[in-house]
Amino acid sequence: MREYYIAGNWKMNNTASQAREFAEALVDELKDASAKMMIAPPFTALESVSSIVRGTNIVLGAQNMSHKEYGAYTGDISPEMLLDLDVAAVILGHSERRIVFGETDELINEKIKLALSKGLEVVFCIGETLDEREAGKVESVVRTQVTKGLSGVDEGSLKHVTIAYEPVWAIGTGRTATPEDANNVHQFVRSLIKELYSADASDRMVIQYGGSVKPDNVKELLDQSDIDGALVGGASLDLESFRAIALCKN
Ligand code: PGA
C-alpha cells in the first residue's frame, strides 16, 4: 500500500518572517494528518522554517538545487547547504525551472543523481504543455522526461524518488486535468517504471498529481487508483486550503 504524500511548493512567496509565522500555524493545524507531508519554502526561509518543523510530521523541502557540489556557480545552492539546514527533500524538474530557466532533461538528471547521492529525497516533476497535449504527444513527452531524468538512477535509489505529474497547462491556471485523464497518465508513468525497473519498483512508486489542486478537487483526484498524492502550489499558501488538502484522506 503506497502512502499518500502531500507537498506544498510555496514558489517565490513568503519572506523568512512570514514563513516562520505560517509554518508555526501549519505545524499546529496538520499535526493529526495521516498523509506524509512536505513543505518547500524559498531558500531564504529554509532556516527559519527548519527550526519550526524539526521533530514534527512535516518534512522540509527545497524548491531546487545546483547540479554541482560546490564552487564557482554564482547564485546556486548546493546539496550540502540544504542538508546543513535539515532539508530532507528537493523538488527537481519543475516546469517553471524547465520553461522559465531553460533547464534541460540532462541538467535535471544531473541534479537528481547528485541529490540522491547526498541522501536527499527527490520530488521529480514531469508534464506536458498544452501544445504537446493537443498534438497527442503526452506519452512521448512523459516517456522522454522520465527516461532521461532517471537515467543512471538505480532501483535502490529510486525508492527515494517521488514523481509529480504536473500538466503544465493546469499549473496556476485553475484548470485541472479530469481525475480520469490524470489517472491515465499516472498509469502510463507506472508502466514506464515497470519497463525501466521492475514490477516491484512500479508498485512502490508514489506518483503525485499537481496543477490547480484545491480542497474541492483533491478528493476525487486522490480517489483514483494511481494518484498517490498532490504537489500543491497556490493552495499551499493558504492555511485552511492546505489543511483541507492534507487531511482529505484522514
Ligand atoms: P498550482 O501549482 O497548484 O498553483 O497549480 C502546482 C505546482 O506548480 O507545483
Side-chain angles (χ1 to χ4, degrees):
M1 186 57 187
R2 295 182 294 269
E3 112 183 286
Y4 287 107
Y5 184 6
I6 307 292
N9 174 10
W10 294 6
K11 307 192 179 181
M12 197 171 69
N13 295 288
N14 286 328
T15 62
S17 43
Q18 289 165 337
R20 174 183 325 216
E21 204 176 307
F22 188 49
E24 272 165 0
L26 276 179
V27 164
D28 192 45
E29 291 286 333
L30 301 183
K31 58 181 181 302
D32 298 323
S34 57
K36 174 176 175 180
M37 292 169 301
M38 180 264 268
I39 53 173
F43 291 131
T44 48
L46 285 174
E47 186 167 12
S48 61
V49 173
S50 178
S51 59
I52 292 160
V53 300
R54 188 172 296 128
T56 72
N57 56 350
I58 301 176
V59 172
L60 184 62
Q63 299 173 18
N64 186 28
M65 191 196 84
S66 178
H67 61 303
K68 295 291 184 187
E69 285 192 55
Y70 58 86
Y73 298 97
T74 302
D76 242 353
I77 298 288
S78 75
E80 292 294 345
M81 294 170 184
L82 298 179
L83 290 165
D84 188 53
L85 295 176
D86 291 335
V87 169
V90 59
I91 299 171
L92 295 173
H94 192 279
S95 63
E96 287 150 18
R97 299 298 320 171
R98 293 176 188 265
I99 295 165
V100 185
F101 299 97
E103 293 196 7
T104 61
D105 289 318
E106 289 71 21
L107 180 74
I108 294 159
N109 174 245
E110 280 187 62
K111 293 183 179 196
I112 291 176
K113 286 189 292 193
L114 180 58
L116 293 171
S117 76
K118 296 291 178 182
L120 284 159
E121 179 204 312
V122 171
V123 174
F124 169 35
C125 304
I126 57 167
E128 81 288 355
T129 62
L130 187 57
D131 282 354
E132 290 164 341
R133 172 161 285 253
E134 285 174 348
K137 291 187 185 154
V138 177
E139 293 194 354
S140 68
V141 167
V142 163
R143 172 181 285 275
T144 302
Q145 291 174 336
V146 171
T147 309
K148 291 190 172 176
L150 296 178
S151 169
V153 173
D154 63 30
E155 189 162 334
S157 304
L158 192 72
K159 292 189 182 125
H160 306 291
V161 176
T162 296
I163 293 178
Y165 169 60
E166 302 201 300
V168 178
W169 47 272
I171 295 178
T173 58
R175 292 178 60 176
T176 14
T178 66
E180 295 74 24
D181 277 350
N183 199 47
N184 285 340
V185 183
H186 282 230
Q187 284 175 334
F188 174 71
V189 173
R190 204 174 295 291
S191 71
L192 206 50
I193 296 298
K194 185 171 174 189
E195 183 188 314
L196 296 171
Y197 293 91
S198 67
D200 240 29
S202 159
D203 286 345
R204 255 196 324 262
M205 176 56 71
V206 171
I207 309 178
Q208 297 172 326
Y209 172 80
S212 298
V213 174
K214 302 273 181 296
D216 61 2
N217 61 22
V218 66
K219 178 83 168 56
E220 49 176 0
L221 286 161
L222 295 194
D223 279 347
Q224 298 291 316
S225 61
D226 288 85
I227 302 184
D228 310 313
L231 179 55
V232 187
S236 75
L237 297 168
D238 178 77
L239 185 60
E240 261 320 297
S241 297
F242 196 59
R243 179 182 188 280
I245 292 169
L247 272 77
C248 85
K249 281 289 188 179
N250 260 41

